[in-house]
Amino acid sequence: MEPKTILPADTYTVVNRTILTDYERKTIINLYEPIIGCNAVSLYFTLWQDMERSELAEQKFNHHHLMSTLKLGLEPITNARRVLESVGLVRSFFKSGEVNDYFYEIYSPLTPNEFFNHPIFSVILYNNIGSVEYNKLVAYYKKQENVPKDYEEITSTMDMNFKAAAASNLSPEPDIEKTESIGSRVSEDYVDFALLMSSLPKGLISEKALNKRTKNLINSLAFVYDLDTLKMCELLRLVVNENGVIDKDSLRLNARKYYQFNNSGSLPTLIYRTQPEHLKTPEGDMSNRGKMLYIFENTSPYDFLRSKYHGTEPAPRDLKLLEYLAVDLELKPSVINVLIDYVLKSNDNKLTQGYIETIAGQWKRLNIKTADEAMRTAEKEHKKNKTKVFTKTTNSKKETATPIWFNQTQEVKEISADEKRELETMLKEFR
């Protein structure tokens, strides 16, 4: 079992399980990066480079090498590796010892045709980049026009230029590299297939129809559209033909329609994902605001809320609130983080549902998609509505608390020692 933390001295070897070309490089950037983020892509390309170097010099690397190359800590590197594993680009193996050793296998990305027809990747890519950019990518990878019908083919066949002759013995199965990809990784038991089969009429589905590829599709659809086993049974009943064969295209369509019917026409996204790369701001701002902006954009709403619970699991009611913001209102992850931080600070550390829904509804109507827009809107609204409250006992003025990222010229001249410690703790945790 892998230890909880990787040490800089822990070694690793990278092994090629595919044939990687510049075409795969473009596929990673165009199709995978909007889903998995820049850290995971940078790690993939670094492992790719390490693999080529180790093939020449047969050398091992340690994880300090990755830290130096990527300028990242071990925790974000580990998280990036796990993301690569989940989308089928890397497989990892571990052996304990005086110095722990890792074994990383690199796989090709799916081909664009496989990617756009994948039940998970295509949906999540669409949600992360929007319809305009998605359609541009589809057009970029679109199959070229066929040769006009009024052209006659004159291509030579092999027998026109060569003939067979006796030759030396040849190994019938040479061990030659080939392109290998493994796609996304969803737990095999996401759907209970024993329950699935027992719930379907006997003989409805043939044993051959429920092969490994079909099971993977059913698992993937159940994951991305949040379908339990019994609901999947209902959908399968609708898409099995008279020969007991599952119509896979119809299954995809019915799963999507079912989800849209129950979610006001929207398509699913990943609640715990971070801000899409194209909606992030350039790094480099070292002000309190810039530091918080980095945290908002590179942290999932779940992890951000968990940090407010000091590392423990958030209350179910608060998680339900996150789901409402992400799925029902379709707010971007960084916008949700700004909202959580603002409400907790200005509302006595309480996530009051009505208060959150009021602000979230306004931000939705304003079409706020970035953390910077959300922060500016919160500052503007707070300044407009700011009031002085007189306490009954001292008749002194009491200002409403504000987040540490509020514009310093408007609100905060200097943050307190406690706020500074909180900010530094969050930066250490999320970098």
Side-chain angles (χ1 to χ4, degrees), residues 142-148:
K142 188 176 180 181
K143 186 177 180 181
Q144 298 299 311
E145 295 292 332
N146 293 328
V147 177

Side-chain angles (χ1 to χ4, degrees), residues 243-255:
N243 297 318
V245 177
I246 298 170
D247 186 330
K248 297 180 179 64
D249 290 335
S250 294
L251 181 59
R252 292 169 186 257
L253 180 62
N254 278 277

Side-chain angles (χ1 to χ4, degrees), residues 134-234:
Y134 184 86
N135 290 331
K136 286 180 180 179
L137 284 173
V138 171
Y140 177 77
Y141 287 107
K142 188 176 180 181
K143 186 177 180 181
Q144 298 299 311
E145 295 292 332
N146 293 328
V147 177
K149 293 183 178 179
D150 56 344
Y151 280 70
E152 177 186 1
E153 183 173 6
I154 57 172
T155 307
S156 298
T157 59
M158 195 165 190
D159 59 285
M160 294 172 62
N161 297 289
F162 299 94
K163 67 178 182 178
S168 58
N169 291 332
L170 181 67
S171 173
E173 295 182 0
D175 188 16
I176 303 297
E177 279 187 339
K178 61 181 179 180
T179 299
E180 287 191 38
S181 58
I182 52 180
S184 62
R185 296 176 67 84
V186 176
S187 300
E188 293 181 4
D189 58 353
Y190 200 85
V191 169
D192 186 340
F193 284 97
L195 175 60
L196 181 80
M197 293 304 294
S198 65
S199 302
L200 290 170
K202 190 173 182 180
L204 179 66
I205 296 179
S206 66
E207 292 184 8
K208 290 183 179 180
L210 210 61
N211 54 34
K212 184 176 181 180
R213 179 174 293 183
T214 304
K215 284 184 176 181
N216 286 338
L217 173 63
I218 292 172
N219 255 325
S220 296
L221 291 174
F223 164 71
V224 76
Y225 293 116
D226 194 23
L227 304 171
D228 60 27
T229 300
L230 295 180
K231 176 51 64 177
M232 183 57 72
C233 282
E234 294 179 25

